Amino acid sequence: KGDQVIGIVTARAGDVFRLDVGGSEQASLSYLAFEGATKRNRPNVQVGDLIYGKFLVANKDMEPEMVCIDSSGKASGMGVIGQDGFLFKVSLGLIRKLLAPKCEIIQELSQLYPFELVLGMNGRIWVKAKTIQQTLIIVNILEACEYMTSEQRKQALAKLSGN
């Protein structure tokens, strides 16, 4: 409960969206669980969209339920993730490493290219840079970072930046 995850909209059933969050069961997300959503003002969510949200209900006896607002009703970066970008899966160990307050990996990558990054506690990462090539370079570095020492990572980034 409270973990922020990336889900893929698989179905729309009345007032509820069904999301694949990588678990044994699909999570539900009400259309009212978005910032500023009302019965008249519904969010524009389509099947196949990526949603960044957090678990409101998450236990083994009940269906998981997600929301895209914090306790004060604000989006705080949650909601539908942009169209272009690349979604991939990594281990939870790498996600925790990237979410650490002073993560060297993200600081070093941001000096290489400007990019957007969304990290989900279900092992999913979404990345978007200016070009597809830059996006794929960042994805490959992030996937390789799990098994690299900081020295190996610095050498790889130095090769890419041409130093």
Side-chain angles (χ1 to χ4, degrees), residues 126-143:
W126 178 85
V127 178
K128 180 185 176 197
K130 277 186 178 164
T131 65
I132 294 171
Q133 182 183 11
Q134 288 178 357
T135 301
L136 292 174
I137 289 169
I138 291 168
V139 167
N140 287 328
I141 292 170
L142 284 171
E143 285 181 329

Side-chain angles (χ1 to χ4, degrees), residues 42-55:
R42 290 176 176 245
N44 184 19
V45 178
Q46 306 299 323
V47 172
D49 282 354
L50 298 178
I51 303 279
Y52 181 59
K54 70 177 171 187
F55 283 122

Side-chain angles (χ1 to χ4, degrees), residues 33-94:
F34 289 87
E35 182 178 11
T38 61
K39 283 191 182 267
R40 280 199 168 149
N41 182 21
R42 290 176 176 245
N44 184 19
V45 178
Q46 306 299 323
V47 172
D49 282 354
L50 298 178
I51 303 279
Y52 181 59
K54 70 177 171 187
F55 283 122
L56 189 65
V57 174
N59 65 43
K60 63 181 171 64
D61 301 321
M62 292 174 64
E63 172 187 76
E65 190 178 325
M66 286 177 59
V67 292
C68 290
I69 48 176
D70 60 17
S71 56
S72 60
K74 299 286 180 214
S76 303
M78 292 184 278
V80 179
I81 300 174
Q83 291 300 315
D84 319 325
F86 191 83
L87 180 73
F88 62 105
K89 274 189 78 73
V90 296
S91 72
L92 288 180
L94 180 60

Side-chain angles (χ1 to χ4, degrees), residues 5-8 10 18-27 55 58-59 62-64 66 89 121-124:
V5 296
I6 299 173
I8 304 165
T10 57
R18 311 295 295 153
L19 294 164
D20 169 26
V21 289
S24 58
E25 223 178 310
Q26 292 197 336
F55 283 122
N59 65 43
M62 292 174 64
E63 172 187 76
M66 286 177 59
K89 274 189 78 73
M121 280 305 291
N122 55 347
R124 291 181 177 164

